[in-house]
Amino acid sequence: DGKRSWIFHGDVFDGYMHRLKWLARLGAQGYGMLAILNKAVEQTLRFFGKPRVSISKKLHNRINGGKKEISRFEETVGQLAISKGYDYAICGHTHLVEKKVISNEKGKVTYLNSGDWVESMTALEYYEGDWHVKYWEPSTETLRDEELMSEEHFSKPSKALFMKVFREVVMS
């Protein structure tokens, strides 16, 4: 519809990724281990009827300076997107769902962060002339294993098939 979207991961603007590569690698390994630990914690909390919690997200915010560091990242992305004439700047590096307008004297851009599929269970969709954050609800698709393994589901990916594979890989 004539709007320009700049879609990228976002790590290019992460100072840790470039100046302290060893720390970035260590962080990636730690995040993987925390994701596994977090699944065990979530199952325990679910058993006791408690809401889910993200250990890695809390730690990520503490290590990265929380909102201050994230705001600096978003501002950098927004200012560059404005200077390049984009209508949307879309990334996911920080894993924090966001949609906001960033503006300066040269114009404005809508900054979007898709969050992530592992913890936030979020994605972005473009329809009706705008980008929208979509939150996946696990209860929306409940198919039996036989239905998941049918040829139809392999030719047309579904949330249920994705979750079956995800559970087998992550939870096993």
Side-chain angles (χ1 to χ4, degrees):
D1 57 4
K3 294 181 182 173
R4 295 182 64 212
S5 297
W6 178 29
I7 303 172
F8 61 102
H9 181 262
D11 57 343
V12 69
F13 297 107
D14 188 337
Y16 294 111
M17 298 284 293
H18 300 288
R19 291 189 310 263
L20 303 168
K21 291 182 189 240
W22 66 269
L23 184 59
R25 278 190 224 111
L26 180 65
Q29 293 294 323
Y31 180 81
M33 291 188 328
L34 274 176
I36 293 168
L37 174 66
N38 209 87
K39 288 294 174 193
V41 169
E42 281 183 5
Q43 287 178 343
T44 304
L45 290 172
R46 192 176 315 127
F47 178 78
F48 289 106
K50 303 289 184 191
R52 66 188 300 246
V53 65
S54 173
I55 299 167
S56 59
K57 200 174 278 189
K58 289 176 188 272
L59 187 61
H60 179 266
N61 286 343
R62 186 170 286 177
I63 290 172
N64 287 330
K67 294 288 183 189
K68 181 180 169 188
E69 191 69 27
I70 300 299
S71 293
R72 191 174 326 148
F73 173 86
E74 294 167 352
E75 273 303 310
T76 300
V77 169
Q79 299 305 323
L80 187 55
I82 291 168
S83 72
K84 300 290 185 184
Y86 288 104
D87 298 293
Y88 299 97
I90 303 168
C91 62
H93 179 65
T94 64
H95 295 235
L96 301 174
V97 177
E98 185 69 70
K99 181 178 181 181
K100 68 180 184 181
V101 174
I102 297 172
S103 58
N104 65 21
E105 65 282 347
K106 295 179 185 175
K108 67 179 183 171
V109 66
T110 300
Y111 168 87
L112 294 119
N113 191 304
S114 58
D116 62 37
W117 189 246
V118 177
E119 291 187 46
S120 304
M121 302 295 274
T122 54
L124 297 172
E125 290 184 2
Y126 189 83
Y127 59 89
E128 297 177 358
D130 196 12
W131 285 97
H132 304 267
V133 176
K134 288 296 182 181
Y135 293 85
W136 182 73
E137 294 297 327
S139 61
T140 59
E141 286 191 42
T142 54
L143 299 175
R144 295 189 322 263
D145 285 350
E146 311 86 64
E147 294 173 309
L148 290 171
M149 301 310 284
S150 73
E151 188 175 314
E152 176 187 337
H153 284 284
F154 279 104
S155 62
K156 181 181 156 198
S158 71
K159 292 177 195 170
L161 176 61
F162 175 84
M163 286 309 297
K164 177 173 176 38
V165 173
F166 178 80
R167 274 189 238 106
E168 287 177 5
V169 171
V170 175
M171 302 304 278
S172 62

